[in-house]
Amino acid sequence: IVSMGQMGDGAQLERAFAGATVHDLFNLLSVAILFPLEVISHYLYHLTNAMLPDSVGDGEKWEGPIKKIVSPFAGRVLKSNKDVIKDIATGKVESCDAYYPVLCLDGIEDYKHCASKCDKDAGEEVGVDCGRVGLITCDKNTGCPAFFQNGANLHDDSISGGVCLVLSLFLLIVCLMGLVNVLQRGLAGMSTRIIYKATNVNGLIGIVIGAAITILVQSSSITTSVLTPFVGIGVIQLEQMFPLTLGANIGTTITGLLAAMVSDNVDALQVALCHLFFNIS
């Protein structure tokens, strides 16, 4: 999708698409090779299991810097109810219908009246002591989002999610086209040649750079999405995209490790370690 932002120039589109394909094919080939090895030998399971402590302490919930910046704005538009998929996966409920219709006490749309959970041990009941939310929920800090509606059914929330998906894709395409345009204007001439030479580094250094950038932004998708237009306009060599991609894949594992370290679940830490060693492999 990022490379499509350079459709205005055939040569740039070709380079950008090649840069994006480096990331895609690397991940696909890694899964094709390592997944059968894990199924046969369980090497990731045994390796990470040997590294696990007996227990890990509970800590505060960790959030990356990008999420801290974006979440307050996104939460005012749409906030998903993560309890729905968790309860369905664990068998607490059979379908999403158990969460509908949405119910807010006294018709007041805020977190306290809509999304606060009932204390079953205290005998609290839905509709009397607490509300009920579906796929869209409310936030303690920002309140109920714009697409939240008291009395909504599953169909209403599904339509709201579809509308947000279309809007987000539209904004993504507009932002990508704007990014490409800014890069083309700002990195023309001498600056392009300087950056081109500066990024022509050893592959190991490229891996370190890719990992460092991803650790800072806590998302390999952000790293590769920024690098792809650079490849398209010729600022970064296509050959340098591979080590940078390797570094981005390793750097993104730090996000899972940081999240697991503040969790009281040993299994979460093992999953994060598996993610790390899979990408290193």
Side-chain angles (χ1 to χ4, degrees), residues 74-79 136-139 142-149:
R76 296 182 183 277
V77 179
L78 187 74
K79 184 175 178 62
I136 303 175
T137 186
C138 301
D139 185 78
T142 59
C144 295
F147 282 88
F148 181 86
Q149 181 182 0

Side-chain angles (χ1 to χ4, degrees), residues 190-265:
M190 184 63 67
S191 59
T192 299
R193 293 192 292 271
I194 293 174
I195 298 175
Y196 187 89
K197 292 181 179 179
T199 55
N200 186 21
V201 296
N202 181 272
L204 292 176
I205 298 177
I207 292 175
V208 174
I209 293 174
I213 295 174
T214 306
I215 290 173
L216 290 175
V217 300
Q218 295 300 326
S219 173
S220 61
S221 297
I222 294 177
T223 303
T224 53
S225 295
V226 171
L227 292 176
T228 298
F230 277 105
V231 175
I233 62 177
V235 175
I236 295 179
Q237 302 177 55
L238 179 61
E239 292 78 7
Q240 288 299 116
M241 189 65 175
F242 181 62
L244 291 170
T245 297
L246 291 178
N249 283 348
I250 295 174
T252 193
T253 62
I254 304 300
T255 304
L257 285 173
L258 290 173
M261 286 178 182
V262 297
S263 171
D264 60 350
N265 194 333

Side-chain angles (χ1 to χ4, degrees), residues 46-279:
H46 295 301
L47 176 62
T48 56
N49 191 56
M51 300 175 63
L52 290 177
D54 294 331
S55 63
V56 291
D58 190 11
E60 295 182 357
K61 184 179 180 180
W62 181 87
E63 284 186 340
I66 301 298
K67 187 175 182 180
K68 286 184 178 181
I69 296 172
V70 174
S71 290
F73 300 99
R76 296 182 183 277
V77 179
L78 187 74
K79 184 175 178 62
S80 62
N81 185 4
K82 298 179 181 179
D83 291 335
V84 175
I85 188 171
K86 181 174 68 176
D87 291 345
I88 293 176
T90 56
K92 291 184 179 181
V93 296
E94 294 184 358
S95 67
C96 296
D97 295 332
Y99 294 90
Y100 292 95
V102 173
L103 178 62
C104 295
L105 298 178
D106 302 324
I108 302 175
E109 294 185 4
D110 60 15
Y111 179 84
K112 180 180 179 181
H113 291 82
C114 300
S116 59
K117 297 182 179 180
C118 290
D119 186 353
K120 295 182 179 180
D121 296 334
E124 294 182 350
E125 297 181 3
V126 175
V128 179
D129 303 294
C130 62
R132 177 173 56 210
V133 291
L135 296 174
I136 303 175
T137 186
C138 301
D139 185 78
K140 288 183 179 180
N141 299 320
T142 59
C144 295
F147 282 88
F148 181 86
Q149 181 182 0
N150 183 26
N153 54 37
L154 178 59
H155 181 68
D156 295 331
D157 279 358
S158 298
I159 291 177
S160 298
V163 171
C164 288
L165 175 62
V166 173
L167 288 176
S168 62
L169 290 175
F170 173 77
L171 291 174
L172 175 62
I173 294 173
V174 171
C175 291
L176 289 175
M177 294 178 66
L179 174 63
V180 172
N181 185 267
V182 170
L183 290 175
Q184 288 174 334
R185 294 175 181 272
L187 297 175
M190 184 63 67
S191 59
T192 299
R193 293 192 292 271
I194 293 174
I195 298 175
Y196 187 89
K197 292 181 179 179
T199 55
N200 186 21
V201 296
N202 181 272
L204 292 176
I205 298 177
I207 292 175
V208 174
I209 293 174
I213 295 174
T214 306
I215 290 173
L216 290 175
V217 300
Q218 295 300 326
S219 173
S220 61
S221 297
I222 294 177
T223 303
T224 53
S225 295
V226 171
L227 292 176
T228 298
F230 277 105
V231 175
I233 62 177
V235 175
I236 295 179
Q237 302 177 55
L238 179 61
E239 292 78 7
Q240 288 299 116
M241 189 65 175
F242 181 62
L244 291 170
T245 297
L246 291 178
N249 283 348
I250 295 174
T252 193
T253 62
I254 304 300
T255 304
L257 285 173
L258 290 173
M261 286 178 182
V262 297
S263 171
D264 60 350
N265 194 333
V266 176
D267 292 336
L269 180 58
Q270 184 170 10
V271 171
L273 289 172
C274 285
H275 187 202
L276 171 63
F277 286 105
F278 173 84
N279 283 288

